[in-house]
Each structure stands twice: as C-alpha cells, then as structure tokens.
Amino acid sequence: MFRTKSVEQSIRDTEEPEHALKKSLSALDLTVFGVGVIIGTGIFVLTGQVAKETAGPATAIAFAVAGVVCALAALCYAEFASTVPVAGSAYTFAYAALGELVAWIIGWDLVLEFALGTAVVAVGWSGYVRSLMDNVDWTMPEVLSGPDVAEGFGFDILAFALVLVLTVILVVGMKLSARVTSVVVAIKVGVVLMVIIAGLFFIKAENYKPFIPPAESQETGGGWDAPLVQLMFGYEPTNFGIMGIFTAASIVFFAFIGFDVVATAAEETKLPQRDMPRGILGSLIICTVLYVAVSLVVTGMQNYSELSVSAPLADAFKATGHPFYAGLISFGAAVGLTTVCMILLLGQTRVFFAMSRDGLLPRFFSKTHPRFRTPYRPTILLGVLIAIIAGFTSIEELATLVNIGTLFAFVVVALGVLVLRRTQPDLPRAFRTPWVPLLPIVSVAASVWLMLNLPVETWVRFAAWMALGVVIYFVYGRSHSLLGKRGR
C-alpha cells in the first residue's frame, strides 16, 4: 500500500509511444492556462458578498491573505512539477513521495474536485448566457434551462452543449486548447482591466471609512452548517474586524481555485523544468494583483454595505449611472467561464489518464490518440458524463467539495516536498522550494486552517467520497497496479 514509484520510473513511463502525450506548451501557454482558470466567478461574485457580509473594504487584504496561502502551496507545486514532469499533478507527486495508497486517495480526490468544478462552472456559464439572451429578448424554454429554472423536469441544454464542445477541443489537441484559451483570457483580462481603470474615476474616499469595520459575531446555523473549527475548539467566527479578514480569506479562497491545474500539464510542456515554475507562480501573481485592485475599486465606488451580492461589479457601475459597463462585465463573465470550464476538464482527464497508465484504473483509458497524441478515451468518457451531470443536476450545495478537495491536495503536496527532500536529497531539482522545512509546514497549517472553516456537512460528504475511493482501491486498484505487478 505504501510502495512508491520512483521519479525515474514515472518519467520512463511517459516515453512509451502509445502512452505518451505531445509536448507543445510553453511558459506563456501555462501562464495563460493559469489565469484562464483562476479568474472566474470569484472575482465577479465573491467580492460583493465578502465585502458586504464579512470584511468591508478590507476585502482587498483578504484576497492578499488567500493569495499568500496559495503562493505557499504554489512553491511546493513548482518544485514537484519541475522535478517530476508527469501528468497527474498532486497524484503523481504523492506516488513518488508518500506511496500508492496516498496517491490513490489524492487522485480520487482530484477526480471529484475537477469533475464537480467543471459541472458547477458550466451551469454558472449557462446562467450568464441566458441573462445576456434576455437582454435582447431571446428566451430559452424553461424545460431547456435547467432544474433551477423549470418547474418539474428541466435539462440545461446550454451547459450540456458547452461541455461537449470543450471535450472536442481537448481531444483535437493541447495547442488548439491553448490558442482558444489565449483569445478568451485576453477578453476576460481586458474586462477586468476595464473595471479597474474605469472604476478609478468613480471612487469616493468616504466609501473606505472605516476600512476595517468593527467586529461583530458571525451567526452560524450550528450543527451541520457550522464551521468544523467552531465545533472542535468553540471558536466563534466573526464578521468584520481583524479576525473577519481571515474569515473572509477562507471564503475568497474559492476565487483562487484552479492554479494547481497547471501542474497537470507538466508532461505536455516543452521545457517543464524551467516553464512549470514560471507558469504556476506567474499566473498566481497576476491574478492576486488583479483581485486586490478590483476589490479596492468596487468598494471605493460604492459603500460596502450597499454592494450587490449576486453581481457586485456590474451593479456598482449601474449605481454610478453607467449601465454600459455593467453589460460589458456580464459579457466578460460569460466568456471567462468558458476557459475555467475547459481547463478544469483538462485537469480531470490528465489525472484520470495518469491513474489508468499506472494500472490503478483500467489501462484501456491510458492509450493516446494516434494523431493528436491526447488521452482521447478518458476525455470523451468524462466529457459526456460531466455534460450529463451539468444538464440534469443542480449542484450548488456541493460546490464547497471543490474547495476542500483543493486544500487537501495542497496539504499532500507540501508533505510530499518534505518527504522527498529526506528520502532523495540528491535528486536533481530545477526549482527548489525555499525555506524547507519551514515553508511546507506553514503551507500545511494554513491549508488545514481554511479547511476547518468549512461546514461540517462538507467534511461528511468528503469523507464518504474518500471511503468509496478506498474500497475501489482494495477491490481493483491494488491488484491491478502496474508497480505492484513489476514488483511481483
């Protein structure tokens, strides 16, 4: 259960012709992927919710704190991704450092994280598109607008179609995916910069007072709805005040989810030892700066207590008498979610591919396309399944599972850096995480703290999914493991 797969063996497995992925990505492509998946609903929605309910104008500090937590994990990811340039991200890293069972658990976790994230984003994209259609008097039939809109049976045809189209793009090739992403990210970043530049002219200094509103007790539902930290330690989360900033950071962390997906493309990168650290850290730095700037602008345009929760950026411009900008922001949000959905689906298929190549899932899914050199079998399978889930299911309540899954992956990668430094100190490392062991330990502590701020119900669902994964491992994965067969 705790047998490890050597870095050398992991790299040799990528050289088998029928299981090899095409290397076509540069540092710029990776950075664009990172920015494309990070900037999504978080920057367009969470800013208003957190400012109004938790942190006030100090939301900018909350974004900075969440960015620092992600940066700690990003430094650990950068070392692993440049040292073990193999598809699979945290799954592959865990296999090299912590053993097969831990690798399976984290891989199973990532399958849930990326699949659920893709479906949730597709449903959100569908909502934005229907809103834009309503602006020009085009109305979708309720039965094709999803279960949230229709009474009784409802199928979200837009979310379903989006996932299928993106599946085709991913099958055709990574370079095409990078080109599509580059165009969409350019539009999305352009909209964000427009918000920042145009909003500067409407800022009122009095809206920043007080910058950190006085603290007040945060009301929680108790029981299943309460944060786990409250039940464990009797800690009472607060709205506003200094502690409110940290509470807000655990919420806006949602806005940063996705940068770890960049690591799943390590095997398809031309020079992974150089370009993976640049792509991971570069995309995170860019998005953190944009998040902080947008939150400062929007809380300066409108008093935090008056901000909209559903569409804070667009409604802030409406409040200042500029509806044109509001429409442009809605368009940017709809376009931007396209890349978020595609890159999450990309991460899902690469993890699934890596697990099947190791034999922990059926090897049938580890064959690459003879022409495009992409893992077309798991891409088609997962694309169709996620499209059906997005079309039939209303899964907003399960969205926090995406967050806890990401934080769990952060913990495993940071621990993996510590273990691999001790077990293989002489392993060539193109990028070395600084301040080891202090930085990985701090990364683990910060990620665990944010996990403890999630509701008990989320922990129960996460534990159930993990238990199912352990059963599948012992029933199938352990006996079919390629590493185990080689040992025998």
Side-chain angles (χ1 to χ4, degrees), residues 242-265:
I242 297 297
M243 294 307 297
I245 294 175
F246 293 99
T247 303
S250 67
I251 299 173
V252 300
F253 178 81
F254 292 137
F256 289 91
I257 285 177
F259 82 85
D260 56 318
V261 178
V262 176
T264 65

PDB file of all heavy atoms in Angstrom, residues 242-265:
ATOM      1  N   ILE A 242     -10.390  42.461  12.612  1.00  0.00           N
ATOM      2  CA  ILE A 242      -9.184  41.779  12.130  1.00  0.00           C
ATOM      3  C   ILE A 242      -9.466  40.309  11.828  1.00  0.00           C
ATOM      4  O   ILE A 242      -9.089  39.783  10.778  1.00  0.00           O
ATOM      5  CB  ILE A 242      -8.045  41.896  13.164  1.00  0.00           C
ATOM      6  CG1 ILE A 242      -7.651  43.368  13.373  1.00  0.00           C
ATOM      7  CG2 ILE A 242      -6.843  41.077  12.695  1.00  0.00           C
ATOM      8  CD1 ILE A 242      -7.107  44.032  12.139  1.00  0.00           C
ATOM      9  N   MET A 243     -10.158  39.611  12.741  1.00  0.00           N
ATOM     10  CA  MET A 243     -10.444  38.199  12.513  1.00  0.00           C
ATOM     11  C   MET A 243     -11.412  38.005  11.348  1.00  0.00           C
ATOM     12  O   MET A 243     -11.419  36.970  10.693  1.00  0.00           O
ATOM     13  CB  MET A 243     -10.996  37.550  13.783  1.00  0.00           C
ATOM     14  CG  MET A 243     -10.000  37.478  14.925  1.00  0.00           C
ATOM     15  SD  MET A 243      -8.425  36.689  14.446  1.00  0.00           S
ATOM     16  CE  MET A 243      -8.987  35.037  14.019  1.00  0.00           C
ATOM     17  N   GLY A 244     -12.243  39.005  11.088  1.00  0.00           N
ATOM     18  CA  GLY A 244     -13.148  38.926   9.948  1.00  0.00           C
ATOM     19  C   GLY A 244     -12.407  38.836   8.626  1.00  0.00           C
ATOM     20  O   GLY A 244     -12.889  38.238   7.661  1.00  0.00           O
ATOM     21  N   ILE A 245     -11.205  39.443   8.583  1.00  0.00           N
ATOM     22  CA  ILE A 245     -10.390  39.382   7.368  1.00  0.00           C
ATOM     23  C   ILE A 245      -9.983  37.934   7.092  1.00  0.00           C
ATOM     24  O   ILE A 245     -10.026  37.473   5.944  1.00  0.00           O
ATOM     25  CB  ILE A 245      -9.148  40.280   7.508  1.00  0.00           C
ATOM     26  CG1 ILE A 245      -9.581  41.754   7.591  1.00  0.00           C
ATOM     27  CG2 ILE A 245      -8.190  40.067   6.345  1.00  0.00           C
ATOM     28  CD1 ILE A 245      -8.440  42.706   7.858  1.00  0.00           C
ATOM     29  N   PHE A 246      -9.615  37.193   8.157  1.00  0.00           N
ATOM     30  CA  PHE A 246      -9.199  35.807   7.972  1.00  0.00           C
ATOM     31  C   PHE A 246     -10.400  34.914   7.643  1.00  0.00           C
ATOM     32  O   PHE A 246     -10.288  33.958   6.875  1.00  0.00           O
ATOM     33  CB  PHE A 246      -8.473  35.301   9.212  1.00  0.00           C
ATOM     34  CG  PHE A 246      -7.152  35.980   9.435  1.00  0.00           C
ATOM     35  CD1 PHE A 246      -7.037  37.029  10.335  1.00  0.00           C
ATOM     36  CD2 PHE A 246      -6.037  35.604   8.714  1.00  0.00           C
ATOM     37  CE1 PHE A 246      -5.828  37.677  10.529  1.00  0.00           C
ATOM     38  CE2 PHE A 246      -4.818  36.235   8.899  1.00  0.00           C
ATOM     39  CZ  PHE A 246      -4.712  37.275   9.807  1.00  0.00           C
ATOM     40  N   THR A 247     -11.557  35.242   8.244  1.00  0.00           N
ATOM     41  CA  THR A 247     -12.770  34.518   7.869  1.00  0.00           C
ATOM     42  C   THR A 247     -13.082  34.754   6.398  1.00  0.00           C
ATOM     43  O   THR A 247     -13.438  33.825   5.657  1.00  0.00           O
ATOM     44  CB  THR A 247     -13.965  34.976   8.732  1.00  0.00           C
ATOM     45  OG1 THR A 247     -13.657  34.780  10.114  1.00  0.00           O
ATOM     46  CG2 THR A 247     -15.218  34.202   8.375  1.00  0.00           C
ATOM     47  N   ALA A 248     -12.920  35.998   5.961  1.00  0.00           N
ATOM     48  CA  ALA A 248     -13.158  36.336   4.556  1.00  0.00           C
ATOM     49  C   ALA A 248     -12.174  35.620   3.649  1.00  0.00           C
ATOM     50  O   ALA A 248     -12.518  35.201   2.538  1.00  0.00           O
ATOM     51  CB  ALA A 248     -13.052  37.851   4.358  1.00  0.00           C
ATOM     52  N   ALA A 249     -10.934  35.459   4.108  1.00  0.00           N
ATOM     53  CA  ALA A 249      -9.918  34.787   3.293  1.00  0.00           C
ATOM     54  C   ALA A 249     -10.317  33.346   2.996  1.00  0.00           C
ATOM     55  O   ALA A 249     -10.050  32.826   1.905  1.00  0.00           O
ATOM     56  CB  ALA A 249      -8.566  34.826   3.998  1.00  0.00           C
ATOM     57  N   SER A 250     -10.964  32.676   3.972  1.00  0.00           N
ATOM     58  CA  SER A 250     -11.393  31.295   3.739  1.00  0.00           C
ATOM     59  C   SER A 250     -12.523  31.237   2.719  1.00  0.00           C
ATOM     60  O   SER A 250     -12.752  30.193   2.097  1.00  0.00           O
ATOM     61  CB  SER A 250     -11.849  30.648   5.051  1.00  0.00           C
ATOM     62  OG  SER A 250     -13.031  31.254   5.538  1.00  0.00           O
ATOM     63  N   ILE A 251     -13.229  32.355   2.537  1.00  0.00           N
ATOM     64  CA  ILE A 251     -14.309  32.411   1.547  1.00  0.00           C
ATOM     65  C   ILE A 251     -13.759  32.755   0.168  1.00  0.00           C
ATOM     66  O   ILE A 251     -14.048  32.081  -0.820  1.00  0.00           O
ATOM     67  CB  ILE A 251     -15.379  33.452   1.968  1.00  0.00           C
ATOM     68  CG1 ILE A 251     -15.999  33.062   3.309  1.00  0.00           C
ATOM     69  CG2 ILE A 251     -16.461  33.564   0.898  1.00  0.00           C
ATOM     70  CD1 ILE A 251     -16.938  34.103   3.871  1.00  0.00           C
ATOM     71  N   VAL A 252     -12.935  33.807   0.097  1.00  0.00           N
ATOM     72  CA  VAL A 252     -12.426  34.229  -1.214  1.00  0.00           C
ATOM     73  C   VAL A 252     -11.396  33.247  -1.756  1.00  0.00           C
ATOM     74  O   VAL A 252     -10.974  33.367  -2.912  1.00  0.00           O
ATOM     75  CB  VAL A 252     -11.809  35.647  -1.165  1.00  0.00           C
ATOM     76  CG1 VAL A 252     -12.843  36.660  -0.736  1.00  0.00           C
ATOM     77  CG2 VAL A 252     -10.593  35.697  -0.246  1.00  0.00           C
ATOM     78  N   PHE A 253     -10.988  32.282  -0.943  1.00  0.00           N
ATOM     79  CA  PHE A 253     -10.097  31.243  -1.453  1.00  0.00           C
ATOM     80  C   PHE A 253     -10.707  30.557  -2.668  1.00  0.00           C
ATOM     81  O   PHE A 253      -9.999  30.088  -3.563  1.00  0.00           O
ATOM     82  CB  PHE A 253      -9.811  30.217  -0.351  1.00  0.00           C
ATOM     83  CG  PHE A 253      -8.929  29.084  -0.805  1.00  0.00           C
ATOM     84  CD1 PHE A 253      -7.559  29.235  -0.860  1.00  0.00           C
ATOM     85  CD2 PHE A 253      -9.486  27.876  -1.187  1.00  0.00           C
ATOM     86  CE1 PHE A 253      -6.749  28.190  -1.289  1.00  0.00           C
ATOM     87  CE2 PHE A 253      -8.691  26.825  -1.607  1.00  0.00           C
ATOM     88  CZ  PHE A 253      -7.311  26.992  -1.656  1.00  0.00           C
ATOM     89  N   PHE A 254     -12.057  30.492  -2.711  1.00  0.00           N
ATOM     90  CA  PHE A 254     -12.735  29.914  -3.874  1.00  0.00           C
ATOM     91  C   PHE A 254     -12.252  30.556  -5.167  1.00  0.00           C
ATOM     92  O   PHE A 254     -12.172  29.915  -6.202  1.00  0.00           O
ATOM     93  CB  PHE A 254     -14.254  30.118  -3.766  1.00  0.00           C
ATOM     94  CG  PHE A 254     -14.903  29.332  -2.669  1.00  0.00           C
ATOM     95  CD1 PHE A 254     -15.858  29.926  -1.861  1.00  0.00           C
ATOM     96  CD2 PHE A 254     -14.576  28.020  -2.430  1.00  0.00           C
ATOM     97  CE1 PHE A 254     -16.464  29.217  -0.845  1.00  0.00           C
ATOM     98  CE2 PHE A 254     -15.179  27.295  -1.419  1.00  0.00           C
ATOM     99  CZ  PHE A 254     -16.128  27.892  -0.624  1.00  0.00           C
ATOM    100  N   ALA A 255     -11.961  31.857  -5.096  1.00  0.00           N
ATOM    101  CA  ALA A 255     -11.590  32.602  -6.299  1.00  0.00           C
ATOM    102  C   ALA A 255     -10.229  32.190  -6.843  1.00  0.00           C
ATOM    103  O   ALA A 255      -9.907  32.494  -7.990  1.00  0.00           O
ATOM    104  CB  ALA A 255     -11.598  34.104  -6.001  1.00  0.00           C
ATOM    105  N   PHE A 256      -9.407  31.512  -6.030  1.00  0.00           N
ATOM    106  CA  PHE A 256      -8.061  31.123  -6.473  1.00  0.00           C
ATOM    107  C   PHE A 256      -7.984  29.670  -6.931  1.00  0.00           C
ATOM    108  O   PHE A 256      -6.944  29.236  -7.424  1.00  0.00           O
ATOM    109  CB  PHE A 256      -7.055  31.334  -5.330  1.00  0.00           C
ATOM    110  CG  PHE A 256      -6.765  32.774  -5.036  1.00  0.00           C
ATOM    111  CD1 PHE A 256      -7.507  33.473  -4.093  1.00  0.00           C
ATOM    112  CD2 PHE A 256      -5.755  33.450  -5.700  1.00  0.00           C
ATOM    113  CE1 PHE A 256      -7.242  34.803  -3.805  1.00  0.00           C
ATOM    114  CE2 PHE A 256      -5.478  34.772  -5.429  1.00  0.00           C
ATOM    115  CZ  PHE A 256      -6.226  35.451  -4.481  1.00  0.00           C
ATOM    116  N   ILE A 257      -9.068  28.933  -6.728  1.00  0.00           N
ATOM    117  CA  ILE A 257      -9.035  27.516  -7.076  1.00  0.00           C
ATOM    118  C   ILE A 257      -8.725  27.351  -8.556  1.00  0.00           C
ATOM    119  O   ILE A 257      -9.313  28.014  -9.405  1.00  0.00           O
ATOM    120  CB  ILE A 257     -10.381  26.854  -6.730  1.00  0.00           C
ATOM    121  CG1 ILE A 257     -10.490  26.665  -5.220  1.00  0.00           C
ATOM    122  CG2 ILE A 257     -10.532  25.518  -7.433  1.00  0.00           C
ATOM    123  CD1 ILE A 257     -11.803  26.094  -4.771  1.00  0.00           C
ATOM    124  N   GLY A 258      -7.798  26.486  -8.848  1.00  0.00           N
ATOM    125  CA  GLY A 258      -7.508  26.185 -10.245  1.00  0.00           C
ATOM    126  C   GLY A 258      -6.057  26.316 -10.648  1.00  0.00           C
ATOM    127  O   GLY A 258      -5.640  25.705 -11.626  1.00  0.00           O
ATOM    128  N   PHE A 259      -5.257  27.115  -9.914  1.00  0.00           N
ATOM    129  CA  PHE A 259      -3.871  27.275 -10.363  1.00  0.00           C
ATOM    130  C   PHE A 259      -3.124  25.937 -10.335  1.00  0.00           C
ATOM    131  O   PHE A 259      -2.190  25.723 -11.119  1.00  0.00           O
ATOM    132  CB  PHE A 259      -3.133  28.317  -9.516  1.00  0.00           C
ATOM    133  CG  PHE A 259      -2.603  27.806  -8.208  1.00  0.00           C
ATOM    134  CD1 PHE A 259      -1.369  27.184  -8.133  1.00  0.00           C
ATOM    135  CD2 PHE A 259      -3.348  27.939  -7.050  1.00  0.00           C
ATOM    136  CE1 PHE A 259      -0.890  26.699  -6.923  1.00  0.00           C
ATOM    137  CE2 PHE A 259      -2.871  27.463  -5.844  1.00  0.00           C
ATOM    138  CZ  PHE A 259      -1.631  26.835  -5.782  1.00  0.00           C
ATOM    139  N   ASP A 260      -3.559  25.032  -9.450  1.00  0.00           N
ATOM    140  CA  ASP A 260      -2.894  23.728  -9.382  1.00  0.00           C
ATOM    141  C   ASP A 260      -3.159  22.888 -10.626  1.00  0.00           C
ATOM    142  O   ASP A 260      -2.449  21.909 -10.887  1.00  0.00           O
ATOM    143  CB  ASP A 260      -3.358  22.975  -8.129  1.00  0.00           C
ATOM    144  CG  ASP A 260      -4.865  22.805  -8.054  1.00  0.00           C
ATOM    145  OD1 ASP A 260      -5.571  23.778  -8.365  1.00  0.00           O
ATOM    146  OD2 ASP A 260      -5.340  21.724  -7.671  1.00  0.00           O
ATOM    147  N   VAL A 261      -4.186  23.271 -11.425  1.00  0.00           N
ATOM    148  CA  VAL A 261      -4.464  22.538 -12.654  1.00  0.00           C
ATOM    149  C   VAL A 261      -3.289  22.668 -13.622  1.00  0.00           C
ATOM    150  O   VAL A 261      -3.040  21.776 -14.436  1.00  0.00           O
ATOM    151  CB  VAL A 261      -5.759  23.056 -13.315  1.00  0.00           C
ATOM    152  CG1 VAL A 261      -6.035  22.339 -14.634  1.00  0.00           C
ATOM    153  CG2 VAL A 261      -6.942  22.864 -12.375  1.00  0.00           C
ATOM    154  N   VAL A 262      -2.552  23.778 -13.534  1.00  0.00           N
ATOM    155  CA  VAL A 262      -1.403  23.980 -14.415  1.00  0.00           C
ATOM    156  C   VAL A 262      -0.422  22.815 -14.284  1.00  0.00           C
ATOM    157  O   VAL A 262       0.172  22.361 -15.265  1.00  0.00           O
ATOM    158  CB  VAL A 262      -0.703  25.316 -14.084  1.00  0.00           C
ATOM    159  CG1 VAL A 262       0.554  25.490 -14.941  1.00  0.00           C
ATOM    160  CG2 VAL A 262      -1.658  26.485 -14.312  1.00  0.00           C
ATOM    161  N   ALA A 263      -0.269  22.297 -13.065  1.00  0.00           N
ATOM    162  CA  ALA A 263       0.681  21.215 -12.837  1.00  0.00           C
ATOM    163  C   ALA A 263       0.284  19.931 -13.560  1.00  0.00           C
ATOM    164  O   ALA A 263       1.139  19.081 -13.838  1.00  0.00           O
ATOM    165  CB  ALA A 263       0.818  20.945 -11.338  1.00  0.00           C
ATOM    166  N   THR A 264      -1.007  19.760 -13.903  1.00  0.00           N
ATOM    167  CA  THR A 264      -1.430  18.550 -14.598  1.00  0.00           C
ATOM    168  C   THR A 264      -0.917  18.522 -16.034  1.00  0.00           C
ATOM    169  O   THR A 264      -0.915  17.474 -16.673  1.00  0.00           O
ATOM    170  CB  THR A 264      -2.974  18.425 -14.626  1.00  0.00           C
ATOM    171  OG1 THR A 264      -3.521  19.490 -15.410  1.00  0.00           O
ATOM    172  CG2 THR A 264      -3.546  18.477 -13.223  1.00  0.00           C
ATOM    173  N   ALA A 265      -0.478  19.678 -16.552  1.00  0.00           N
ATOM    174  CA  ALA A 265       0.008  19.752 -17.935  1.00  0.00           C
ATOM    175  C   ALA A 265       1.527  19.642 -18.019  1.00  0.00           C
ATOM    176  O   ALA A 265       2.114  19.917 -19.065  1.00  0.00           O
ATOM    177  CB  ALA A 265      -0.451  21.063 -18.577  1.00  0.00           C
TER     178      ALA A 265
END
